[in-house]
């Protein structure tokens, strides 16, 4: 039995984990945060890192401590809950939100700026580009055993070189100046960054991607549970450090543009920056970085979703699910990036608190005897407050219910669910054991 990974295997796995995490949202949200936060961008990025990187690492370790899959973690609450919760997370990270977003962002940043030189309309260009994009995702995902080599040794270095080139150039030739900010980032930059961290989806994704890392290590001969936990921790820590470093770099690119008119999104900001810094080659460098960031994430999501769905519904083969989920994502990706982001945010704001509560409680499972009411009440209270916040993001209020929620401590900071979640956990402890069934 092998006790530890070689240096090459450790780096390759860490790069793979970094790359499948670093997708569309990770590329465009930190620069937008940086521009809005201005002189407070470091505080904002710290908040973003806390919810994105911090919860991701906790999620990976929570899974490996109890087994190797999301279902193992959710199964502590009950088999029915495990099936329903797991399916919801997989659908959200698969065909409903995350995968279509990878195709849409790739098109808008890697292809749309060049369409003027081609005899096709934006609509047709989107169809052709996303068809090719998800075609590549299908091809690479049909060889899951090669994912570590393809992603960790080839795509990630190209991605990091592209981002590194943009960062170094922006330091040597600043695009603007970092100026004092106003609004939420001036008052609560860290907490504003916390909420922005939801958008990257990595807190959810960690519960799925953990299985890729664990299976890859088993392929390298690491099979003992304690050794799996130890090696997974180091792989996750290295990947997390890389993510945090890249977020700081992208946030800085946005911050030095804080003296410029506000861009609609981080993608437009990066487009402008790349063009200014590298002239005619700038957009090509940015497009390459975005394309590989999105493609690696699509591969990770496809393989995870297909393995889960095939296991849950054996009548569908792995190959059939890979093809189906990519074709569905291809169709959804053509509704437009702005539309997807608009409808994604309220869902994330609703579900993210409950996921965080489940992850945190898993570390104290033995301390409260693994009582199901603790999980259910804690997650339920967090879900309720998150749902009210999610509806508010759509400008929908529930009258006195919303007014009551706004009285909760920290609600204006985006974390009003924390105290209700704690109260729910305490309530769960009071429910007699005979009622747990």
């Amino acid at each position: 039995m092998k006790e530890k990974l070689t240096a090459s295997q450790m780096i390759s796995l860490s790069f793979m984990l970094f790359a499948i995490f670093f997708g569309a949202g990770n590329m465009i949200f930190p620069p937008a945060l940086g521009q809005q936060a201005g002189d407070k961008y470091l505080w904002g990025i710290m908040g973003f890192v806390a919810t994105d990187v911090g919860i991701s690492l906790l999620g990976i370790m929570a899974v490996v401590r109890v087994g190797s899959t999301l279902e193992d973690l959710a199964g502590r609450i009950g088999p029915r809950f495990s099936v329903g919760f797991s399916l919801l997370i997989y659908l959200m990270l698969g065909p409903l939100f995350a995968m279509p977003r990878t195709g849409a962002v790739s098109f808008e940043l890697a292809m749309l700026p060049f369409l003027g030189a081609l005899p096709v309309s934006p609509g047709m260009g989107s169809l052709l580009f996303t068809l090719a994009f998800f075609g590549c995702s299908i091809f690479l995902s049909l060889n899951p055993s090669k994912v570590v080599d393809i992603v960790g040794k080839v795509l990630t270095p190209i991605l990091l070189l592209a981002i590194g080139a943009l960062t170094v150039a922006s330091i040597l030739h600043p695009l603007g100046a970092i100026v004092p900010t106003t609004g939420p980032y001036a008052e609560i930059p860290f907490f504003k960054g916390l909420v922005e961290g939801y958008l990257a989806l990595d807190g959810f994704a960690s519960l799925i991607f953990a299985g890729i890392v664990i299976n890859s290590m088993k392929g390298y001969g690491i099979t003992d549970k304690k050794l799996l936990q130890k090696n997974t921790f180091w792989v996750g820590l290295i990947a997390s450090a890389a993510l945090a470093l890249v977020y700081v770099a992208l946030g800085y690119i946005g911050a030095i543009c804080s003296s410029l008119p506000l861009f609609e999104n981080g993608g437009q900001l990066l487009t402008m920056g790349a063009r200014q810094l590298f002239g005619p080659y700038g957009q090509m460098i940015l497009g390459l970085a975005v394309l590989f960031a999105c493609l690696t994430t699509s591969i990770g999501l496809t393989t995870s979703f297909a393995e889960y769905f095939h296991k849950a519904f054996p009548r569908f083969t792995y190959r059939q699910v890979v093809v189906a989920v990519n074709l569905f994502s291809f169709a959804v990706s053509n509704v437009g990036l702005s539309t997807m982001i608009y409808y994604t945010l309220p869902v994330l704001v609703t579900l993210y608190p409950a996921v965080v509560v489940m992850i945190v409680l898993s570390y104290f499972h033995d301390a409260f005897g693994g009582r199901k009411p603790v999980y259910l009440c804690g997650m339920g209270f967090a879900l309720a407050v998150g749902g009210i916040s999610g509806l508010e993001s759509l400008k929908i209020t529930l009258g006195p219910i919303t007014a009551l929620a706004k009285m909760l401590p920290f609600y204006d900071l985006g974390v009003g669910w924390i105290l209700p979640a704690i109260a729910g956990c305490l309530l769960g402890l009071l429910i007699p054991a005979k009622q747990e069934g």
Side-chain angles (χ1 to χ4, degrees), residues 247-298:
Y247 291 153
V248 171
L250 290 173
Y252 171 78
I253 294 174
I256 61 175
C257 295
S258 57
S259 59
L260 304 178
L262 195 64
F263 289 87
E264 184 178 338
N265 57 61
Q268 292 183 2
L269 188 155
L270 290 176
T271 297
M272 181 280 299
R275 188 182 302 114
Q276 294 246 2
L277 293 169
F278 295 101
Y281 300 103
Q283 189 59 54
M284 187 178 299
I285 294 173
L286 175 65
L288 187 66
V290 171
L291 179 61
F292 282 116
C294 294
L295 184 58
T296 52
T297 299
S298 181

Side-chain angles (χ1 to χ4, degrees), residues 210-226:
I212 297 178
V213 177
I214 294 168
N215 290 334
S216 297
M217 280 196 288
K218 288 180 178 179
Y220 284 139
I222 307 291
T223 55
D224 179 75
K225 183 176 181 179
K226 290 185 177 180

Side-chain angles (χ1 to χ4, degrees), residues 11 45 73 116 150 175 181 200 215 221 239 251 286-287 297 325 365 379 401 411:
I11 292 173
I45 288 295
L73 180 62
I150 293 170
L175 298 165
T181 187
N215 290 334
L286 175 65
T297 299
V325 72
H365 182 84
M379 293 176 67
I401 296 178
Y411 185 87

